[in-house]
Amino acid sequence: MSDIIKQQRDDALKEIATALSIAELEEIETRYLGRNKGLNELRRTVGSLPKEERPAFGARINDAVAELTSAIAVRRTALEEAALVHKLASEALDVTLPGRPSRVGRTHPLTQTTNDIKGVLSGMGYEFVDGPELEEYRYNFGKLNYPEDHPAMDEQNSFFVSDDLLLRTQTTTLQGRIMAQRRPPFRIATVGRCFRYEAIDATHHHTFHQVDVFMVDEKISMADLKGTLGAFARAMFGQETLVRFRPDFFPFVEPGVDYSIAWRGRWLELGGAGLIHPNILREHGIDTEKYSGFAFGLGIERVHMLRTGVDDLRLYLENDLRFLKQF
Amino acid sequence: MLVPLEWIQQYVAVPADTKEIAHRLTMGGLEVEETLDSEIGSVLDVYITPNRGDCLSMLGVAREIAALYDLPLTPPSPPESQQGGETATRTSVQIEAPDLCPRYAARLIRGVKIGDSPEWLQQRLIAAGQRPINNLVDVTNYVMLELGQPLHAFDFDTLAENRIVVRRANEGESLTTLDGEVRELTSEMLVIADALRPVALAGVMGGAETEVTEKTTNILLESAHFNPLSVRRTARTLGMRTEASYRFERVVDPEGVRRAVDRACELLALIGQPTALSGVVDSYPAPEAPRVISLRVRRTVDLLGIPDITAEVATDCLKRLGFGVVQEQGTLHVTVPASRPDLTLEEDLIEEVGRIYGYENIPETLPIGSTTRGGDSAEGTFLNEIRRILTAVGLQEVVSHSLTPPSIFDVTPHDPRRVAVRNALSYEINGLRRTHLPGLLQVATRNATRAGQNSLALFEVGRVWQNEYIAEMHTPVELLSVAGLLTGELEEVGWQRDRKPLLADFGAVRGIVERLLEGLQVKNYTLTPLGDKSEDYPQFHPGRTALIHLSDEYSPGVVGELHPRFAPQMELRNRIYLFEIPLDALGAVALSEKRYQASSRFPVAVRDLAPRVTRETTFAEIEAAVNSANVSNLAEWRLTDVYQGTPLPEGTKSLTLSFTFRSAEGTLTEAEIGAGMETLRASLIEKAQATFVA
């Protein structure tokens, strides 16, 4: 009788070991371990055995059932794993193919540079204020200490809309507007578009963008200007950057300088600067014995060109996507 | 200005290291733009800033070099002429306009022989950029270059009554200048006249009739000081710019007038011409008093921020520039020469001390003390928020021209709303943009034709201008505006062409407008069909354009398709969609503050309705019907489909509306939801004449 159990067990183990699919395995499981089937069917023959043999018989069936259940589980895991391996293999892609492109919107490089500059100057305590691009003549010239009809204006050929309104030639125009309203100390910056009558080439344009920065406080000196420019330039161009002054003339500063930075082994002119002209401070009732201030300006395009190697000013307003997408 | 070093070395013994001199001059304030070669050696091309008229001469540059190198300066010292003499017996100078001509000096030379100048003189002129003409003209030019004082030689025998009158021109007078042009004069112009007529434009150019010619034997040499503003205005009015006017505009030293004419006489004698008649007629009714400016050493240190500047250091710097200095305790009393009219304030002298001492000695310090809080402006912050939203939906920012030619958005080339530039020399920049749309269209066209890029999603934010009719006058107003353009494929196309690419359409551009308004938290806005406003928007497709109403106080924005009439000229393959919103309106309704709203914990119930309406029924009417039903617990609803065609009856369409119910208090019962749906159904029937198929 026990031979029958062994026979069934052996047959089942052989079939389990060679089952090739989960379905086949389940069929084997049903055949040998299903209710009233296989070993369970044998269980019913226990009644025909002598009483003393019954417990041993039952135990042997239980052992065989446990052994088969375990073998099925092991085989199931193996088959599932094999199926997964197969599925993964069939799903394999050429991952070296290019991806599906997503549409990316970018800001204009001038916006990016402007925001970099705003970040640095905001951190240094400068408050940004906006002024009009279509500006009154007096703010563009008279309030900036330009003598009436002075040759200095020859460098500022302007676009006029009326006798009194012109497109600002410099963002410095904001200084008069601010000083008419505020008392020192203040630190102000402005950024925006300026216009000058120029023939267009790789380094000149009738439309360009400028930052103007100025502060008034007690005992502000050229050394403070140099230190501020140094800190600003190092934030924009890196820790190794040096700043150098050269005398220059702008009617709204005295002393007036042109400043350059030493960057990657070259001196590069960046803009004009100086101490705010005492005539301007006095005109707004600021006591020049107590207060002094500095101002500096720089071109946004210039900063971007230096940092990225762009060599033609005209590219910024052309908006060729092949250019814009590089930034 | 071209400065031959060989010439400079006549006045200052500077070592001939061209590169070093160029660097020193540049760092001292006279920028050497380039170095050239000439027959007589190196020539510096120096840029002279408009305040330094005193440096528009060899002696002026030599004085700077002497100061920077701390070397002695040897100016030319011609024999000094005395007032009167034989000259005064033969001619006279009468200044009728002393405000415009503070000083006028004349000398006479008889029996000159016109010919070529000697080689050395010609070479110096050539190296300095002047063409030699004849010995007489060359000497006047030489002295102008040497001393900065323009001179003029008249053919003495052509002067009526052999005398000089300096006066304003009379209306209607004219003068043929040396260049052969007939100049109409006005009473604002200063002229040199003889007894009868103008013979020269003061400080600008001589007249043809009194010009020195080969036949000339007797000359009158003029050396004068003219008002800079007067010379500038005369030259500009007549469209002239000469070496003389350039210098007079930048102020010539009035004290150098007689020395210049004496120097010319000396040089003429040196090159073999007769000696000038004795004496000079020098009319200088009101000589300028020497200027004395006080300079406090303490303040010099404070403003330059260089602690080691002492009274001695400052005195040395100023003396090197040729200024007189008297020290009185901590203050220097500085006598400034008349050649430096740019120096009037203490700060001007502080700059002189600083640049001679050397700006490289300025240390770097940072301002200390209280300050304002740094940060971006409200406008800057708002524009950056708009940029953030629009780039997030895939639009590329462009920055285009404010100065533009008239466009299709101007009804006529002289649209009164367009702000014109009065002095534009070119059609391309003859006015200011009234809208960003022509710029966006131009960028799109350029990218299509140049780069074959026909799918574009662009935006621009920035200023625009338009004339507004205020108090019966066209007044230019500066505004902020945001605009966008969408054309071609909406998605970037790769190699996976698993479905037909979506092309930009009205829905796409409207979607962008909606994302922008949602992003800025604009709660109440409506988009209405263009309808009878289409005449005001001739650039837009009348049936595919909507006005964007944000607030009753501001003009609406617009979103729609470019009118097909204008599409061909844009050279784009696909339809073009545009939007533009004035930012004053947007700024007024946008909210920057965000408030949290709790999400309901209870389940939602979603139910659909499929009203059938006439084809003319707009979605706005459906929207109004749903909103006016005011159904409680309706959390949101949306349109999920629009269908027209078989089997629907002609002239009708069927919409599918999906309603989401949710309560914050509990799970809604089927009865509550059913009641809401019934209300919606009734409202659609009543307000939108909808029918429902059982």
Side-chain angles (χ1 to χ4, degrees), chain B residues 427-505:
Chain B
Y427 180 78
E428 291 304 311
I429 52 172
N430 73 2
L432 292 173
R433 63 181 176 195
R434 207 164 54 74
T435 145
H436 292 305
L437 296 175
L440 286 169
L441 285 165
Q442 196 200 6
V443 169
T445 301
R446 183 182 287 139
N447 276 288
T449 53
R450 267 207 212 164
Q453 180 58 261
N454 277 284
S455 296
L456 296 148
L458 310 170
F459 79 97
E460 177 153 16
V461 283
R463 317 247 175 134
V464 295
W465 295 265
Q466 77 176 14
N467 281 317
E468 289 185 1
Y469 216 56
I470 302 170
E472 295 182 29
M473 274 179 60
H474 284 299
T475 308
V477 176
E478 186 167 300
L479 301 163
L480 278 166
S481 172
V482 56
L485 177 148
L486 208 57
T487 186
E489 291 170 6
L490 287 172
E491 291 166 346
E492 298 277 331
V493 181
W495 56 272
Q496 288 155 296
R497 291 197 165 269
D498 39 14
R499 60 185 151 91
K500 215 173 139 199
L502 281 174
L503 290 179
D505 57 10

Side-chain angles (χ1 to χ4, degrees), chain A residues 197-273:
Chain A
Y197 230 122
E198 297 245 22
I200 298 181
D201 62 30
T203 54
H204 298 88
H205 208 294
H206 56 62
T207 302
F208 55 97
H209 299 79
Q210 232 183 27
V211 190
D212 190 79
V213 184
F214 61 100
M215 75 169 297
V216 177
D217 204 341
E218 291 177 31
K219 286 206 173 174
I220 294 302
S221 70
M222 291 292 282
D224 293 328
L225 169 62
K226 201 173 190 179
T228 299
L229 279 169
F232 172 73
R234 285 187 279 277
M236 292 296 296
F237 295 94
Q239 278 312 307
E240 306 306 310
T241 313
L242 299 174
V243 172
R244 182 173 83 176
F245 283 167
R246 188 173 71 70
D248 202 348
F249 170 68
F250 307 96
F252 38 89
V253 283
E254 188 70 40
V257 297
D258 169 294
Y259 65 95
S260 303
I261 56 164
W263 191 56
R264 297 185 181 169
R266 283 192 303 156
W267 283 104
L268 304 161
E269 279 182 29
L270 219 53

Side-chain angles (χ1 to χ4, degrees), chain B residues 522-544:
Chain B
V522 176
K523 303 294 181 203
N524 297 306
Y525 63 88
T526 52
L527 273 72
T528 60
L530 203 49
D532 57 10
K533 291 271 171 43
S534 64
E535 274 181 32
D536 297 340
Y537 296 86
Q539 306 81 12
F540 287 89
H541 190 309
R544 294 184 170 191

Side-chain angles (χ1 to χ4, degrees), chain B residues 17 44 64 121 223 276 450 492 532-533 541 548 611:
Chain B
D17 181 342
L44 307 178
E64 283 291 307
L121 200 157
S223 178
R450 267 207 212 164
E492 298 277 331
D532 57 10
K533 291 271 171 43
H541 190 309
I548 307 164

Side-chain angles (χ1 to χ4, degrees), chain A residues 97-111 115 118 121-122 124-134 148-155 158-163 165 167-168 182 185-187 193 195 197 205-207 209 215 217-228 230-231 234 243-249 254-257 269 275 277-279 282 288-289 291-292 294 316-322 324-325, chain B residues 23 26-31 47 49-51 229 232-233 236 241 249-250 296 298-299 302-305 345-348 350-351 355 359-380 384 387 391 393-403 419-426 429 432-433 443 446-447 450-451 453 455-460 463 465 476 478 486 489-496 498:
Chain A
L97 278 168
R100 207 186 277 272
S102 47
R103 170 158 280 171
V104 176
R106 297 173 180 81
T107 52
H108 192 277
L110 292 177
T111 300
N115 283 335
K118 281 185 172 179
L121 289 172
S122 294
M124 294 169 77
Y126 290 86
E127 176 190 347
F128 277 81
V129 179
D130 297 294
E133 290 174 23
L134 189 58
E148 187 192 359
D149 209 2
H150 192 263
M153 293 177 188
D154 289 350
E155 296 170 9
S158 322
F159 294 98
F160 282 89
V161 159
S162 67
D163 285 347
L165 284 177
L167 291 167
R168 66 179 172 196
R182 300 206 194 181
F186 49 71
R187 299 183 185 194
R193 186 170 276 198
F195 306 82
Y197 230 122
H205 208 294
H206 56 62
T207 302
H209 299 79
M215 75 169 297
D217 204 341
E218 291 177 31
K219 286 206 173 174
I220 294 302
S221 70
M222 291 292 282
D224 293 328
L225 169 62
K226 201 173 190 179
T228 299
R234 285 187 279 277
V243 172
R244 182 173 83 176
F245 283 167
R246 188 173 71 70
D248 202 348
F249 170 68
E254 188 70 40
V257 297
E269 279 182 29
L275 296 186
H277 201 288
N279 288 350
R282 278 182 211 129
T288 53
E289 288 297 312
Y291 292 106
S292 52
F294 64 64
Y316 294 99
L317 292 181
E318 278 179 6
N319 296 294
D320 189 316
L321 291 179
R322 292 168 296 183
L324 297 178
K325 283 184 171 172
Chain B
H23 177 74
T26 298
M27 296 313 292
L30 299 190
E31 186 187 358
Y47 172 74
T49 51
N51 60 325
L229 209 53
R232 180 172 166 80
R233 288 183 177 163
R236 191 175 49 200
R241 190 172 125 137
E249 280 181 33
R250 284 157 178 76
R296 288 165 292 174
R298 179 73 241 157
R299 188 157 171 83
D302 282 350
L303 285 187
L304 291 175
L345 302 175
E346 185 178 30
E347 286 79 1
D348 297 327
I350 289 173
E351 175 172 58
R355 71 182 182 91
Y359 283 156
E360 68 277 10
N361 297 311
I362 298 178
E364 285 194 24
T365 58
L366 282 173
I368 45 168
S370 58
T371 179
T372 37
R373 190 176 63 91
D376 203 353
S377 63
E379 176 184 314
N384 274 338
R387 290 187 181 105
T391 53
V393 296
L395 268 57
Q396 166 71 48
E397 184 186 19
V398 303
V399 172
S400 59
H401 287 277
S402 307
L403 287 161
V419 177
V421 169
R422 213 168 52 178
N423 58 333
L425 289 177
S426 145
I429 52 172
L432 292 173
R433 63 181 176 195
V443 169
R446 183 182 287 139
N447 276 288
R450 267 207 212 164
Q453 180 58 261
S455 296
L456 296 148
L458 310 170
F459 79 97
E460 177 153 16
R463 317 247 175 134
W465 295 265
E478 186 167 300
L486 208 57
E489 291 170 6
L490 287 172
E491 291 166 346
E492 298 277 331
V493 181
W495 56 272
Q496 288 155 296
D498 39 14

